[in-house]
Amino acid sequence: MSECSTLWPVQKCGLMGSCVFENGTSFCKCNAKWSQNLEWNYFVEENSLSSGICNYNLGVVSGIYTAISVSAILSFTLDLYNTNSRKQLKKRVGWFLFCALVTSFSLYRVFDPNALFGVDFCFSFLISIALPLSQLQGYIHLQKYSYYISNKVSYFFDTGNFYQRLEKARTAWFYANVLCGSCYQLLWISTTVERKTALLLIRIAFAIESIGSLAALAFTYVL
């Protein structure tokens, strides 16, 4: 007999549902406009979904993706307007591509609510490509910031130790980004294999991302 899912510290079935017991079976009865969803319930079997947490509202999700797409389009337009040379355009290609991918997967989801992350190939592929580009932009900003810090320090100190530490940290951050960017590709690959293998790939991807995030914190401390 399945039991209603609990996600501590909230009640069974979450804040938007209640656990109901009928005919010897318990299930989650969701509030109006709320339901269970397979998108993040990776570890819940589909036939047991009725006992899952009520965590999905189509209107809220569509509104969020609409806001994301509008923000990406606005950012793309403003940056393109302020691009005055081919050299600037070349430097901003990664950011423009990132904005285009964000707009694409957001609108794709708005027009197809059934396109679930980790389930729909196209939606998952667009996000898996956008995530490494996001990290690339972070690395580029880190480089600019580190050069700025280097110039400031040079006015007060004359030591090579600082620059060596800075270069090592920057290199380590780069390889951490490469590792995390590679692991994101497991997310769209998971849509092409059987469920058991897909869950394994998702666990691996999230584990590597967690390690990468901790490493990024350590590198930031070093800087």
Side-chain angles (χ1 to χ4, degrees):
M1 181 180 69
S2 61
E3 297 182 357
C4 297
S5 299
T6 303
L7 184 62
W8 186 88
V10 299
Q11 62 188 15
K12 288 185 177 181
C13 301
L15 297 176
M16 298 301 170
S18 56
C19 187
V20 178
F21 186 80
E22 289 184 2
N23 301 323
T25 303
S26 59
F27 62 93
C28 290
K29 183 178 181 181
C30 300
N31 297 346
K33 298 182 180 181
W34 288 86
S35 64
Q36 294 93 353
N37 189 346
L38 279 175
E39 187 163 34
W40 290 108
N41 288 339
Y42 292 115
F43 310 109
V44 177
E45 296 294 338
E46 192 166 359
N47 56 6
S48 302
L49 188 59
S50 62
S51 64
I53 295 173
C54 301
N55 59 358
Y56 186 77
N57 184 300
L58 178 59
V60 172
V61 172
S62 297
I64 291 174
Y65 278 110
T66 299
I68 292 174
S69 63
V70 171
S71 299
I73 293 172
L74 181 61
S75 178
F76 180 92
T77 303
L78 292 176
D79 281 337
L80 186 61
Y81 177 77
N82 291 316
T83 301
N84 301 317
S85 64
R86 288 187 177 182
K87 184 177 181 180
Q88 289 182 336
L89 180 62
K90 185 177 180 180
K91 288 182 178 180
R92 297 177 180 177
V93 166
W95 176 251
F96 290 148
L97 181 57
F98 172 70
C99 290
L101 287 169
V102 170
T103 303
S104 298
F105 73 67
S106 297
L107 293 179
Y108 184 87
R109 179 57 180 268
V110 170
F111 291 110
D112 185 4
N114 295 319
L116 305 180
F117 182 65
V119 178
D120 184 85
F121 172 81
C122 185
F123 183 67
S124 302
F125 180 78
L126 290 172
I127 293 181
S128 299
I129 299 300
L131 288 174
L133 286 176
S134 174
Q135 290 191 319
L136 175 62
Q137 299 309 308
Y139 176 73
I140 291 174
H141 286 293
L142 173 67
Q143 278 191 310
K144 293 180 179 179
Y145 176 72
S146 62
Y147 286 137
Y148 170 79
I149 292 296
S150 299
N151 292 331
K152 288 294 183 180
V153 170
S154 64
Y155 286 111
F156 303 99
F157 302 99
D158 184 17
T159 175
N161 184 45
F162 172 80
Y163 298 106
Q164 291 177 359
R165 288 179 57 191
L166 183 63
E167 188 61 31
K168 289 180 179 179
R170 193 162 48 204
T171 301
W173 192 300
F174 172 78
Y175 285 114
N177 285 340
V178 171
L179 177 63
C180 291
S182 301
C183 82
Y184 289 140
Q185 308 317 305
L186 298 177
L187 300 177
W188 68 262
I189 294 175
S190 68
T191 65
T192 65
V193 297
E194 60 181 8
R195 179 179 173 81
K196 185 176 180 180
T197 304
L199 294 179
L200 177 61
L201 293 177
I202 291 169
R203 286 187 176 101
I204 293 174
F206 286 165
I208 295 176
E209 171 59 19
S210 298
I211 295 173
S213 298
L214 292 175
L217 290 175
F219 300 153
T220 304
Y221 176 78
V222 171
L223 288 176

